[in-house]
Amino acid sequence: MFGELLGLWAASVWKGLGSPSLLRLIELGPGRGTMMADALRALRVLPPLYQALSIHLVEINPVLREKQKAALSGARSIEWHDNIDEVPEGPAVILANEYFDVLPIHQVVKRETGWHERTVEIDGNGKLGFGFAAEPTAAL
């Protein structure tokens, strides 16, 4: 249902853009292609928009590309790209559901001695757990 709602939201954006004759529907990190397949299913109720779509998937993993091809086998006008810079310019809606989840972050936690970077460590039982850098971070 989430992908279908995104598809309907994309339709609203398309209308807000003045219903251009070409709309790039772009997904960053499309995984197995499920969300895009769901969005396209919802967009089929608007034939003028569905015909205007050009699908662009930004994916570098060849195994996932094959899964996406299978999940989206009924769709037309699909292109795969290694990075977003390869996607042609023009009116677009960009979806990136879990894309930002995989970007590295630095998390800090306030302790008595200041802000310490949170770490991932192996605890006394040999399991992964959270820890803290010994020295406060100078970044804050």
Side-chain angles (χ1 to χ4, degrees), residues 92-111:
V93 171
I94 301 174
L95 307 175
N97 183 38
E98 295 180 1
Y99 182 79
F100 296 106
D101 294 350
V102 299
L103 298 178
I105 62 156
H106 291 278
Q107 187 178 51
V108 292
V109 178
K110 177 91 168 149
R111 303 191 75 204

Side-chain angles (χ1 to χ4, degrees), residues 115-139:
W115 290 96
H116 293 255
E117 186 168 4
R118 180 171 277 177
T119 59
V120 177
E121 304 172 351
I122 298 177
D123 67 15
N125 298 322
K127 296 186 178 186
L128 288 176
F130 289 113
F132 304 96
E135 299 295 320
T137 183

